[in-house]
């Protein structure tokens, strides 16, 4: 066959097939996905092509080009070989031009961004069938073949890289374990996401000497979408001046979620301030209801009747006021502990959780948290973690 080649050299062992030697493509381009580089002239016969394919392995698709080297379509090797293996096909179909057996397909410039191509092929990539596509170089000539499977693998790798970055960002903002100890106060927090990133969130800071702002929240949903809310929430918490009070902060969070997510996401949470000077506690339970006061050998459920955030435009949250006693421990937690299921579908339950918390009144807070983690892990066995799990405990130490 005498036809122009898109490359300067060709494989001398082949009669009609030629190998395109691809130049390095930009890392973000669709050209990086190409892994099939054999092509055949539209003038070649099916018999010539089948003979050439006998000398090759790992070839799933072959490009068909015209005399200018421009891609016209695809020969899917498995289908072509199956057709040529039928009785008398080699003698009858072998004389036909490959052009008559070619499958038309889409052609893309090799330097197009992967994401722009992914949008155009989204529906096709979701189909079970693996589809093949042609690439062309800057001169419009054949430059390789990629498949919908190649595209899916590329997008999955990009997703994994993005997830690793998101996990690192959230881990910096929200440490899995956080412990603080002062002469009269202990705070210990733990948070574990079910999908690496998620919607549970805790935060505490001493916004003035011996005066604390603390919150634990649970965003509806899990994964990356929920983590966007917690990231914004973390920024708001770190920048807010709590000398203005907790209520204005809650109203700001509610307005932000309403305007940003338009009731597609909501937030439950416990928001509180505490003063070491007079031991006064101001508590806002915004539809969360997972707050316990551990005093002596008893556990008290303290809540305030307020709706969750991100649904009601005009809020007027009302606090619950109290005074902590030396030795008191408060626990804020998300529902990921109690609702964790075992392999038979049974839930861990609030009763088990409260017994562990109450049973640790004479133990250090890190040990209490570890007791709960271990109990939930043993309970679920081989069952995956069903939801994010978050716990924050504060203990007012008894002065010796």
């Amino acid at each position: 066959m005498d036809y122009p080649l898109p490359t300067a050299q060709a494989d001398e062992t082949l009669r009609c097939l030629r190998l395109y030697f691809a130049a390095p493509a930009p890392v973000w381009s669709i050209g990086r996905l190409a892994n099939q580089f054999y092509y055949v002239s539209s003038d070649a016969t099916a018999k010539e092509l089948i003979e050439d394919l006998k000398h090759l392995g790992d070839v799933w698709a072959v490009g068909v080009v015209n005399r200018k080297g421009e891609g016209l379509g695809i020969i899917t090797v498995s289908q072509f070989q199956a057709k040529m293996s039928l009785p008398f096909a080699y003698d009858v179909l072998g004389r036909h031009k490959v052009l008559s057996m070619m499958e038309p397909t889409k052609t893309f410039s090799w330097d197009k961004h992967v994401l722009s191509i992914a949008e155009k092929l989204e529906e096709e990539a979701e189909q079970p069938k693996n589809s093949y596509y042609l690439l062309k170089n800057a001169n419009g000539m054949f430059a390789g073949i990629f498949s919908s499977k190649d595209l899916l693998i590329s997008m999955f790798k990009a997703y994994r890289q993005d997830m690793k970055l998101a996990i690192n960002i959230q881990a910096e903002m929200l440490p899995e374990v956080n412990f603080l100890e002062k002469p009269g106060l202990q705070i210990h927090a733990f948070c574990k996401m079910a999908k690496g990133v998620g919607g549970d969130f805790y935060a505490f800071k001493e916004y003035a000497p011996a005066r604390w702002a603390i919150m634990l929240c649970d965003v509806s949903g899990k994964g990356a979408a929920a983590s966007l809310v917690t990231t914004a929430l973390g920024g708001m918490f770190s920048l807010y001046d709590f000398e203005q009070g907790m209520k204005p902060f809650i109203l700001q969070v509610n307005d932000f979620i309403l305007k940003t997510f338009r009731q597609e996401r909501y937030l439950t949470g416990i928001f509180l301030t505490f003063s070491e000077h007079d031991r006064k506690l101001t508590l806002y339970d915004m539809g969360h209801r997972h707050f316990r006061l551990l005093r002596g050998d008893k556990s008290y459920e303290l809540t305030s009747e307020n709706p969750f955030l991100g649904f009601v435009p005009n809020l007027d949250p009302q606090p619950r006021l109290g005074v902590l006693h030396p030795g008191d421990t408060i626990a804020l937690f998300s529902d990921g502990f109690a609702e964790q299921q075992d392999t038979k579908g049974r839930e861990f339950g609030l009763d088990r959780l409260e017994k562990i918390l109450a049973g640790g009144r004479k133990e250090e807070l890190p040990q209490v948290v570890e007791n709960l983690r271990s109990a939930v892990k043993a309970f679920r066995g081989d069952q995956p973690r069903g939801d994010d799990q978050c716990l924050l405990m504060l203990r007012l130490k008894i002065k010796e």
Side-chain angles (χ1 to χ4, degrees):
M1 287 292 163
D2 182 20
Y3 58 94
L5 301 178
T7 57
Q9 299 178 353
D11 192 329
E12 295 179 356
T13 64
L14 305 175
R15 293 180 297 177
C16 72
L17 274 177
R18 295 293 184 268
L19 180 62
Y20 176 77
F21 296 95
V27 294
W28 42 262
S29 72
I30 200 72
R32 286 283 180 171
L33 304 188
N35 57 26
Q36 302 290 291
F37 297 100
Y38 281 100
Y39 63 95
V40 62
S41 168
S42 58
D43 293 336
T45 65
K47 184 180 292 187
E48 289 173 323
L49 178 57
I50 201 69
E51 290 298 323
D52 274 2
L53 288 172
K54 291 179 181 179
H55 302 291
L56 301 174
D58 296 331
V59 178
W60 303 289
V62 173
V64 179
V65 304
N66 59 20
R67 289 184 173 273
K68 295 180 181 180
E70 299 167 334
L72 301 176
I74 297 284
I75 295 289
T76 303
V77 172
S78 60
Q79 297 179 10
F80 176 72
Q81 290 176 329
K83 185 178 293 186
M84 293 298 292
S85 66
L86 296 173
F88 308 111
Y90 185 85
D91 294 326
V92 177
L93 296 179
R95 297 191 297 269
H96 292 188
K97 302 295 184 182
V98 295
L99 185 64
S100 66
M101 308 180 75
M102 176 191 77
E103 305 168 36
T105 189
K106 296 176 181 178
T107 302
F108 300 98
S109 179
W110 75 297
D111 59 352
K112 292 294 184 182
H113 200 290
V114 172
L115 294 180
S116 67
I117 302 302
E119 291 180 0
K120 296 178 180 179
L121 298 180
E122 182 176 355
E123 292 186 6
E124 294 179 37
E126 293 177 351
Q127 300 303 315
K129 178 185 176 182
N130 192 22
S131 301
Y132 295 93
Y133 308 98
L134 289 171
L135 291 171
K136 61 181 179 180
N137 61 20
N139 297 320
M141 295 191 296
F142 173 84
I145 299 170
F146 74 96
S147 70
S148 54
K149 180 180 178 181
D150 297 325
L151 181 60
L152 287 174
I153 292 173
S154 173
M155 297 305 296
F156 177 74
K157 289 180 178 178
Y159 165 78
R160 290 299 302 163
Q161 291 177 347
D162 287 345
M163 283 298 295
K164 288 179 181 179
L165 177 59
I167 289 171
N168 290 337
I169 292 173
Q170 192 166 45
E172 287 293 325
M173 181 188 68
L174 186 68
E176 184 173 315
V177 176
N178 201 346
F179 181 66
L180 177 143
E181 182 163 9
K182 296 181 64 180
L185 186 71
Q186 284 184 337
I187 300 177
H188 187 77
F190 163 76
C191 199
K192 184 70 173 179
M193 303 302 176
K195 296 184 176 181
V197 293
D200 279 13
F201 182 81
Y202 73 83
F204 59 88
K205 72 177 181 181
E206 190 175 16
Y207 65 91
R211 296 172 66 187
W212 294 86
I214 299 171
M215 70 176 181
L216 186 144
C217 303
D218 186 355
V219 179
S220 62
K222 294 183 285 291
S227 73
L228 294 175
V229 184
T230 62
T231 302
L233 190 60
M236 295 175 69
F237 184 87
S238 65
L239 296 174
Y240 182 75
D241 178 11
F242 284 95
E243 292 281 8
Q244 302 177 37
M246 180 61 77
K247 184 174 180 178
F249 175 74
I250 294 173
L251 296 179
Q252 287 185 19
V253 173
N254 186 63
D255 289 344
F256 167 76
I257 296 177
L258 268 174
K259 293 176 182 177
T260 305
F261 300 99
R262 301 181 184 278
Q263 298 183 339
E264 292 183 2
R265 285 285 185 273
Y266 63 88
L267 171 76
T268 68
I270 301 288
F271 301 80
L272 61 89
T273 55
F274 172 69
S275 171
E276 295 180 59
H277 300 298
D278 53 14
R279 307 196 306 274
K280 287 185 178 180
L281 182 75
T282 303
L283 165 70
Y284 292 87
D285 182 348
M286 306 305 298
H288 193 74
R289 298 188 176 279
H290 291 321
F291 178 94
R292 298 294 184 273
L293 168 64
L294 309 173
R295 176 173 292 169
D297 58 354
K298 294 184 179 181
S299 173
Y300 301 91
E301 179 181 359
L302 301 181
T303 62
S304 54
E305 298 296 330
N306 295 303
F308 51 79
L309 304 180
F311 195 75
V312 179
N314 299 310
L315 282 182
D316 184 23
Q318 298 301 310
R320 181 86 178 261
L321 306 178
V323 177
L324 294 185
H325 296 179
D328 281 356
T329 299
I330 61 173
L332 298 67
F333 52 91
S334 64
D335 54 16
F337 295 103
E339 294 180 1
Q340 175 62 53
Q341 296 184 347
D342 63 8
T343 54
K344 296 182 180 180
R346 298 171 298 191
E347 290 190 349
F348 185 78
L350 281 173
D351 289 343
R352 285 190 180 95
L353 186 152
E354 289 183 348
K355 286 180 181 178
I356 293 172
L357 296 181
R361 60 185 180 275
K362 295 182 179 181
E363 295 181 301
E364 294 295 319
L365 292 187
Q367 186 58 52
V368 180
V369 174
E370 181 57 34
N371 292 344
L372 178 59
R373 292 178 61 183
S374 299
V376 174
K377 184 177 181 180
F379 175 81
R380 68 182 175 89
D382 294 331
Q383 183 75 2
R385 185 179 287 104
D387 200 355
D388 305 331
Q389 296 172 348
C390 198
L391 169 67
L392 186 146
M393 301 186 74
L394 179 148
R395 175 174 290 169
L396 191 60
K397 297 169 67 176
I398 299 175
K399 295 183 179 180
E400 299 178 355

